Structure formats: structure tokens, C-alpha cells
Amino acid sequence: MTSTDGLRLLPFRGLRYDQDRVSSLTAVTSPPYDVVVRPDGVRHLETADPYNIVRLILPHAADPTTRHRQAADTLRRWRAEGVLTQDAEPALYVYEQRSGELLQRGLIGALGLDGPVLPHEGVIPEVVEDRAALMRAAAANFEPLLLSYRGQGTATGAAAVIERTVERDPLLATTTEDGFAHRLWAVTDPADLGAIHDDLSRRQALIADGHHRWATYQRLYEQQPGATAASPWASGLVLLVDTARYPLQVRAIHRVLPHLPPAKALADLAGAFRARSLPGDLPAALETLQETPGTAFVLAGGPDSFHLLDRPDPGLLDRTIRRDRPEAWRQLDATVLHSVLLDEVWHIPDHPSDISYLHHTGAAVEQAARHGGTAVLMRATSEETVRQLAEHGVTMPRKSTSFGPKPATGLVLRVLDDREA
């Protein structure tokens, strides 16, 4: 599609759970599909309520075609039964997440694919094709991806509409198992929609979470014969957050190398990095990591085995890290880890059987200990660094960052069939 100068966030008729037909909104919501990847996580959600959204985003059957048809059939049945009902008029939705002092507010809508949206990670084609087949079969966007943009930092434009809207009673409110309270409002007033449109038409967005879903939206549009900018397939469901007003949290994603014992990991360094044993527990090791200047990692073999790696050999860095990228990219911890340690020192392929990616430090350490392997604990990269690289068209090594909080799945869906068109 031809790119426009700014963002176009379009109202849509949201598909939402009838709260009288389910045990609770909490019981039918889910984290994003790529967070609920373990079978026990799927089973837990399926047993929470027979209408849990996981049956749509992660159906399980013997083969992909059957899975996708099953999700489509389930969606049609739930709509026919009145479990999911469509709002009467198109709206943008103000969405709020709150946990303690953390407050995030943004706008859910159908974002035009022709706008300036910056990715910062690559995608895996097989994952995009699977998601595309699911959305094509169901003719639906099941969950919003998370995008950030930089507004003025003041209560003007879209931010002003959000601040006015949250003074009203919400359409829904629920608290999920992770302790986050969620509220949702519909914005239908033409003046409010116009103010949002005018503000966002001057903005560009960064994909914070959902690279595969954004690529899926683009794939689906390309596969629609004769589709135009007016087609529902020319936009995709997103949550837009103004991080000048509501900064996102950026966390690291850690690596677990199940086939690399800690002793071998250290022995194979052979001077590539300085390695020091760290006394104390996991919190102490992480504190040391945060305070260490330059490139650094913590290697963990279990709850009482931590080593700090820092001061990499400059000659090794110069020889192994590609030169056709900005210096900020060359100095990323993730760049050094993959280019130097994984590729050159340990010779570990980036394959699911050889590397696991975990968001939680404790889970990474536990998994490494269970397999007799090594966890590589990382530091987070700032949103500003991610944005600057993305603006220059430079993608980071995959799984470099974890932005959040991520929107709950199941509060509002978008359908692309004739009933919406």
C-alpha cells in the first residue's frame, strides 16, 4: 500500500462478550497468543470458562487447517448463541490498564496499513502464515497488537479525548489474574473522533508488541483480490499508546541454552569475556548486572550459580559484528550476545530446540537448572534506543525487548465479515 503521512485510526463495531452469558470477564480473557504458549497455560484458560478466548486464538487440533476451521466455527457459534455481540455503532475504544501506581491508557481501533508504522524486529514467515490462515478463516482480528507513539505529553488532541472519556462510566471493568484492572469505553461523538483523527494524522507509531500480527495484517490485505483502502482488510486491530504521557515498561527477554552446561559455557570463553563468580542470590546478581557499564550478561546454572560476563575482547567484537549498522546497534547487548557468544564462541543455532526465550528471570534460571543448561540473563533496552534505530530502518535482533503492559485478549474483537462491512 502507498504510505500516508500519518496514522489513520478507524472506528469499528466492536465484538464483545455478553457478560450475562459468561461466568466473568476475567474467566474469558487471556494474555496475547504468543505469551500463552505452554500446553498447561492453554489448559488452565480453557477450564476457566467454556467460552475463554483461548479457544479462538490457540485452537488445538491434529493439523493447522483443522485448527483454523475450528476457530472459525467456534466464532460463528458463539455469535449465533449471543455469547459475543456486536456493538450497535462504530467506535474507537479508550482502554485503561492499572496495577498499583502503574497506569496505562490508549486507544483501540482499526489502524490503516498505509500509515507510518515502524517495526524494530524481524518476523518468522511460518508464524505469519499460520496467523494469516487463522484470521482469514475466521475473518476476524482477535486481539490488538501494541503500538506506541509520541504525542505532546499534554492533555490535548487524542489525549484530551481520553481524559474526558475516562470520567464516564465504562462499558466494562474487570481485574485479571495478574492483578491488572482493565476498563473500556466507547468513543462515538463525531467531534471527539475528529480530534483524534487530526492529532494522529501527524504521528508515526512504533510496534511495541505484535510484529507477527502486523505482518499478518499486511499479508491478508495483499491476498485479497481487488482490495482497496476502504476494505476492512486494509486495516488491523491495534492499541495505540502515547508514551509521552503513559510510558511503556520495557523489559529484557532472557535466553536459556538447555544443551550448554555452565562449566562448558565458561570454559569456551577462552578470554572472549571477563568472567567473575557472583556471590548471593538472583536479585543480587541482577543488581550487579544493572550497575555494570558496557556490555554485560549474567550466566546462571541454577539458583546459587551466577557469573558476570563483561569487558569483551575488542578485537573479537570488531571481527564478528557486522559493520553496516549504526554504532548503537553494534553495541546492543542482544547484538553482542548473538553475533559473538552464540554464533562465534558457543556455536549455538537460533533454533527452538537450542534456545528458549523467557520473559521472567526466575523461570529462566529454573529452566536452565532443570535441563543442566545455562541461562543468559539480559538487561532491557530503552524505548528511545529502539525508536531511534527503527526510524533509521534498522531492526534489532529478535526477542530483544518486551514492551508492556500488553493488552488483555478478549475484551474487544474486530470482525471483517459482511455484518461489519
Side-chain angles (χ1 to χ4, degrees), residues 127-168:
V127 175
V128 173
E129 189 51 50
D130 180 73
R131 288 289 104 184
L134 175 66
M135 291 189 203
R136 187 186 309 111
N141 299 156
F142 290 133
E143 48 189 335
L145 54 93
L146 176 62
L147 304 181
S148 73
Y149 72 99
R150 302 288 291 179
Q152 300 298 323
T154 57
T156 57
V161 175
I162 291 173
E163 299 306 317
R164 289 196 301 271
T165 301
V166 298
E167 296 301 317
R168 309 195 317 251

Side-chain angles (χ1 to χ4, degrees), residues 30 83 115 286 288 353:
S30 163
V83 174
L286 294 174
T288 300
S353 63

Side-chain angles (χ1 to χ4, degrees), residues 15 135 137 178 185 314 392:
L15 188 69
M135 291 189 203
D178 56 8
W185 297 260
H392 286 88

Side-chain angles (χ1 to χ4, degrees), residues 17-19 21-29 48-49 52 174-175:
Y17 280 100
D18 181 339
Q19 297 185 54
R21 299 295 306 275
V22 298
S23 57
S24 69
L25 286 177
T26 300
V28 295
T29 56
D49 188 284
N52 189 282
T174 190
T175 300

Side-chain angles (χ1 to χ4, degrees), residues 12-189:
F12 69 103
R13 292 176 57 204
L15 188 69
R16 299 188 292 112
Y17 280 100
D18 181 339
Q19 297 185 54
D20 294 332
R21 299 295 306 275
V22 298
S23 57
S24 69
L25 286 177
T26 300
V28 295
T29 56
S30 163
Y33 81 96
D34 54 346
V35 176
V36 191
V37 293
R38 301 188 318 276
D40 56 333
V42 175
R43 284 194 297 271
H44 170 72
L45 292 168
E46 286 180 334
T47 56
D49 188 284
Y51 298 114
N52 189 282
I53 194 69
V54 77
R55 297 180 186 275
L56 299 181
I57 63 172
L58 287 174
H60 47 84
D63 61 272
T65 300
T66 304
R67 287 198 302 271
H68 304 148
R69 186 174 61 249
Q70 178 178 300
D73 291 343
T74 300
L75 176 62
R76 282 191 290 270
R77 185 172 68 254
W78 289 0
R79 294 180 72 184
E81 294 173 355
V83 174
L84 290 169
T85 61
Q86 202 165 12
D87 288 341
E89 57 183 320
L92 295 179
Y93 296 86
V94 171
Y95 176 49
E96 177 188 275
Q97 294 166 274
R98 186 190 294 267
S99 179
E101 296 182 356
L102 193 158
L103 174 64
Q104 178 172 289
R105 289 172 177 155
L107 291 164
I108 294 177
L111 187 66
L113 303 183
D114 54 354
V117 175
L118 306 174
H120 69 268
E121 290 185 3
V123 297
I124 301 171
E126 293 81 3
V127 175
V128 173
E129 189 51 50
D130 180 73
R131 288 289 104 184
L134 175 66
M135 291 189 203
R136 187 186 309 111
N141 299 156
F142 290 133
E143 48 189 335
L145 54 93
L146 176 62
L147 304 181
S148 73
Y149 72 99
R150 302 288 291 179
Q152 300 298 323
T154 57
T156 57
V161 175
I162 291 173
E163 299 306 317
R164 289 196 301 271
T165 301
V166 298
E167 296 301 317
R168 309 195 317 251
D169 290 337
L171 292 174
L172 62 86
T174 190
T175 300
T176 45
E177 287 186 345
D178 56 8
F180 271 90
H182 307 261
R183 296 197 295 172
L184 190 77
W185 297 260
V187 178
T188 58
D189 181 81

